[in-house]
Amino acid sequence: MKKKYYLKKSYIKNLLNMYITRFFLMLFFKKRENPENILIKISDGIGDVVIRSRLSEKLIERFGKDKVYFLMQENYKQLGEILGYKVIGISKSEKYNLLKRIRKFFEINKLGIKRFINLEYTNDSVVGNIIAEEKIGVLDTDPAVEIYNKFYTKVIRLNRNEKILNQIKIIGENILDRNLRADELIPDLKVGKNSKNEGIVIAVGSTSREKVCSPYMMLEYIKEIKKEFPEEKIYLVGNGKLQLEYAEYLMGNLKEFKMENLVNKTNLKEVFKIIAESRLFIGFDSGLYNYSYSLRKKTIALFKDLSSPFKHEADWVKVLGPEKERIDNVEDENYPNREINNISIETLKKALEGMKEYEKQSNI
C-alpha cells in the first residue's frame, strides 16, 4: 500500500524546516522599511524557464531590471545567467538542511522584497520563508503541498490541460493586471545575427523515459534524416548514463554516418550554442525542445500524446504523434511506451520535407 504523504519523513522534515525557519525570521530578522525589490521563483526545469522567458521579460520591463531578482535551483543558475537575469541560486541542501536553510533565507530576505512571485506550477515551502508585502502564486491542489497556499496574498487558478501559452497568459494577466495575448508571450530568444546554420542536433533524452522512443526506432529515423539532409553532420546531445548508452548504441550502428556523440561532453551553455547554430533540431518533449522552439529554430519533436499542453503551434515547429494503427511490433523493455514507438518513418519523412520547404520560403 502506498504510504500517505503526511507520514513520509521528507514531508514532515520539510514542513518542520519551514516553520522553524519562519520562527527564527519572525524573531530575529529586521524587515527593511519600504522594500522595493521583486523576487521571482522560476526553476521547474529548462523548458519551463525558457517558455516563460517572454513573460519574465515583461515583468522586468514593468518593475525595472535593477529591482527584479530570480530565485532558481543552483543547477539552473547558469540558465538564468544566460538569459540575462539577476539570479539567486538555492541548492537542495539549503532547502532541506535546517541550519543552511535559515542562513539562506536570512540572506534572501535582506534584499528587501516587496513582491514575491512564483511562476512555477508546483508549490513548495519556499513561500513560507519569504518576507514580503505581496506574494503571488499558482494555486496548487496537491494535498502534499496545498498547506503552503495560505502564505500567498493572491493565488491564480489554472486549467493545467490548456495550452501552455494560455496558462502563462493567465498568470501574466493576474500579475500585470492587464490583458495579454498568447502570441505576445511566445519566446523569442536572441542568438545574434551571425549564427551558423549547419548541422542537425538530436536530443536523445527527456525528463521521463516514457517520452523517449526506442533507440531501435531512432536508428531508422536517422537513416531517413541522412537521406533528406545527406550533407549535414548529426550531433547527439544529452546527459546522464542512460542517454550516453542510447547515443553509443546509435554511434555503434551508424559508423558510416557523419555523427558526433556529445552526450555528457557539454555544459548547458555549450549545448545551447550548438542548438542555436544548427540547421535543424530533433528531439522529444523536453527542455531542449522548448529551448529550440524559443529560439525560433526549425524543430521536429516526437510526442507520445498530441494533446500535451507543450505541443507548440508554430510555422517553425512540427510535432509528430503516434499513428492510429499499429505500424510495427517494436519491443524494448528499456523504452516500452507504445505510443512514442508508433511514429512512422513516413510521418518523419513528411516533416523533414516540410522543414526544407519552410527553409526555402523563409530564405534561411
Side-chain angles (χ1 to χ4, degrees), residues 13-30 90-111 125-126 128-131:
K13 184 178 179 181
N14 194 37
L15 196 63
L16 285 173
N17 282 350
M18 187 274 292
Y19 274 113
I20 294 171
T21 301
R22 186 175 175 82
F23 171 77
F24 276 94
L25 286 167
M26 295 302 176
L27 198 62
F28 298 110
F29 183 77
K30 187 176 180 181
I90 183 168
S91 66
K92 282 189 176 181
S93 64
E94 287 172 327
K95 285 180 71 175
Y96 300 115
N97 178 284
L98 180 58
L99 292 179
K100 289 182 179 180
R101 183 182 181 107
I102 292 171
R103 282 197 296 268
K104 188 65 181 184
F105 280 97
F106 265 85
E107 173 193 328
I108 289 171
N109 285 298
K110 281 180 183 178
L111 288 173
S125 62
V126 165
N129 292 145
I130 298 294
I131 298 172

Side-chain angles (χ1 to χ4, degrees), residues 33-46:
E33 291 185 13
N34 302 315
E36 295 184 343
N37 290 316
I38 312 297
L39 182 63
I40 299 173
K41 183 170 179 283
I42 179 169
S43 57
D44 274 341
I46 294 172

Side-chain angles (χ1 to χ4, degrees), residues 191-344:
V191 296
K193 294 181 180 178
N194 298 317
S195 293
K196 297 177 184 177
N197 188 48
E198 57 190 39
I200 294 173
V201 175
I202 300 178
V204 298
S206 181
T207 52
S208 166
R209 198 182 303 194
E210 288 289 303
K211 296 180 179 181
V212 180
C213 75
S214 166
Y216 311 145
M217 289 297 299
M218 182 57 74
L219 193 73
E220 301 305 316
Y221 294 149
I222 291 176
K223 291 176 183 177
E224 192 61 42
I225 292 165
K226 291 302 290 184
K227 287 179 187 177
E228 295 296 328
F229 296 90
E231 74 283 8
E232 297 292 349
K233 184 175 181 178
I234 293 175
Y235 299 91
L236 305 179
V237 299
N239 63 80
K241 182 182 177 183
L242 198 65
Q243 293 180 34
L244 179 61
E245 291 173 354
Y246 193 110
E248 287 176 342
Y249 170 82
L250 297 175
M251 294 295 294
N253 285 276
L254 297 168
K255 292 178 181 178
E256 72 279 16
F257 288 2
K258 189 164 63 172
M259 292 173 58
E260 186 173 354
N261 181 10
L262 296 176
V263 176
N264 288 347
K265 295 179 182 178
T266 58
N267 60 31
L268 196 58
K269 191 172 184 179
E270 290 166 340
V271 79
F272 277 9
K273 185 173 186 290
I274 292 164
I275 293 171
E277 294 181 345
S278 69
R279 183 176 176 185
L280 174 66
F281 172 86
I282 298 174
F284 305 100
D285 182 1
S286 68
L288 294 182
Y289 149 72
N290 282 289
Y291 178 70
S292 180
Y293 164 75
S294 300
L295 287 176
R296 313 292 177 101
K297 180 63 59 178
K298 296 187 296 298
T299 300
I300 295 176
L302 311 178
F303 272 46
K304 67 173 186 174
D305 182 4
L306 291 179
S307 67
S308 166
F310 282 92
K311 178 181 177 290
H312 301 310
E313 307 284 352
D315 293 340
W316 63 93
V317 176
K318 292 191 179 295
V319 179
L320 312 183
E323 308 296 324
K324 293 179 181 178
E325 305 292 333
R326 298 306 308 170
I327 58 172
D328 53 41
N329 293 308
V330 171
E331 296 291 340
D332 187 342
E333 61 181 13
N334 292 316
Y335 297 89
N337 187 274
R338 290 176 65 82
E339 284 72 32
I340 196 68
N341 284 325
N342 203 46
I343 300 172
S344 69

Side-chain angles (χ1 to χ4, degrees), residues 21 35 87 93 113 117 130 145 163 180 182 207 237 281 300 309 321 346 349 353:
T21 301
V87 182
S93 64
I113 304 166
I117 301 169
I130 298 294
V145 294
K163 288 291 184 183
L180 295 169
T207 52
V237 299
F281 172 86
I300 295 176
E346 185 60 29
K349 177 177 167 45
E353 291 171 347

